[in-house]
Amino acid sequence: MKRVFLKKDFIIKLVLLSLVFLLIFPVLYFILWVLFIIGYVFLFRKNKVTYKNSLSNSVDIVLSPVNGKVTEIHTDKQGHQFIKVVAPVIGPFGLYLPYSSEVVGSQKITGKKLWRGTKLLKLQDSAEHYLVEFQNKLGHKTAIESYTCVVGGKPDIWMRAGDKGRASACFGFMPFGGSVIIRLPEQSDIQVKENEKIKAGFSILAGIKG
């Protein structure tokens, strides 16, 4: 089992909440705590990502970096294409490489937390999120923005600029889900539709032309 540690501020809040339960519900405290531990082990267990080797070795497709549901597909005035995926509160919570690539940029932006239902057009650079940019050997670039949800945890990204990985390799973690926006490479042919459920490392988001 892979242990994933929560952020310090989340642990402090959890301890304070536990003390409140101990004072108000001394008889139920033990039962509640046992249920929490069981839920924690279930939610944060190591999840197997199912994918075909042929997909993970391909250089002309973009795989989904997260489990969830496609809620928006958008093209801006400059022609950049974006796909927003909402990751559920109940895991798995991993973030995975969209293709075999190298991290060419990584930035943590602080700000207000947003509900995962917030529209893509309303998401701003000032909102709390983690931006990671990848580039494969053919020069195609994909950016992944992981937004912190009000009822979620802060994304934890362990890959940094210069790190390389194979498609579907885990590069981060989003406790209790949130919003993930994928900026596709130029001239991508989108293969998913809004309201479609997708799986990390398995569902093809887009084909890369040329």
Side-chain angles (χ1 to χ4, degrees):
M1 177 180 292
K2 180 180 178 181
R3 299 292 182 182
V4 181
F5 296 94
L6 300 178
K7 297 292 184 179
K8 182 178 179 181
D9 59 341
F10 183 85
I11 296 177
I12 294 175
K13 293 178 181 178
L14 181 61
V15 172
L16 293 176
L17 182 62
S18 298
L19 292 176
V20 172
F21 270 105
L22 177 60
L23 294 174
I24 300 177
F25 306 105
V27 178
L28 298 177
Y29 179 80
F30 178 76
I31 298 176
L32 292 173
W33 185 252
V34 170
L35 291 176
F36 170 79
I37 294 299
I38 294 175
Y40 176 86
V41 172
F42 173 77
L43 292 174
F44 292 89
R45 72 192 188 284
K46 184 176 180 181
N47 293 282
K48 182 179 180 181
V49 178
T50 304
Y51 62 92
K52 298 178 181 179
N53 288 330
S54 59
L55 292 180
S56 60
N57 290 327
S58 180
V59 296
D60 59 353
I61 59 174
V62 179
L63 298 175
S64 175
V66 66
N67 287 275
K69 181 179 180 182
V70 176
T71 59
E72 292 183 67
I73 298 175
H74 174 67
T75 302
D76 64 15
K77 295 180 180 179
Q78 289 73 39
H80 299 135
Q81 296 175 301
F82 301 85
I83 295 177
K84 178 186 173 184
V85 179
V86 170
V89 176
I90 299 178
F93 306 122
L95 294 168
Y96 303 88
L97 294 181
Y99 43 50
S100 296
S101 56
E102 175 183 348
V103 176
V104 294
S106 177
Q107 183 180 8
K108 185 177 181 180
I109 296 90
T110 59
K112 64 179 181 180
K113 296 181 180 180
L114 299 175
W115 291 101
R116 65 194 69 199
T118 302
K119 293 294 184 180
L120 173 63
L121 295 177
K122 295 182 179 179
L123 292 178
Q124 301 176 357
D125 292 337
S126 59
E128 184 173 279
H129 65 286
Y130 215 122
L131 170 65
V132 186
E133 189 174 36
F134 305 91
Q135 179 173 300
N136 67 8
K137 61 183 180 180
L138 298 180
H140 300 134
K141 290 185 178 181
T142 296
I144 296 177
E145 301 175 56
S146 306
Y147 284 83
T148 304
C149 180
V150 176
V151 293
K154 295 181 179 179
D156 186 10
I157 309 297
W158 45 74
M159 290 187 72
R160 297 293 182 265
D163 291 344
K164 298 179 180 180
R166 187 186 182 191
S168 300
C170 189
F171 72 87
F173 182 75
M174 287 187 69
F176 303 109
S179 300
V180 177
I181 295 179
I182 303 98
R183 187 181 72 212
L184 299 171
E186 295 182 3
Q187 299 182 340
S188 293
D189 184 13
I190 297 177
Q191 300 295 311
V192 292
K193 300 179 181 179
E194 292 186 359
N195 299 318
E196 181 176 342
K197 292 183 178 180
I198 55 179
K199 294 183 179 180
F202 185 82
S203 300
I204 299 175
L205 296 182
I208 306 174
K209 299 178 181 179

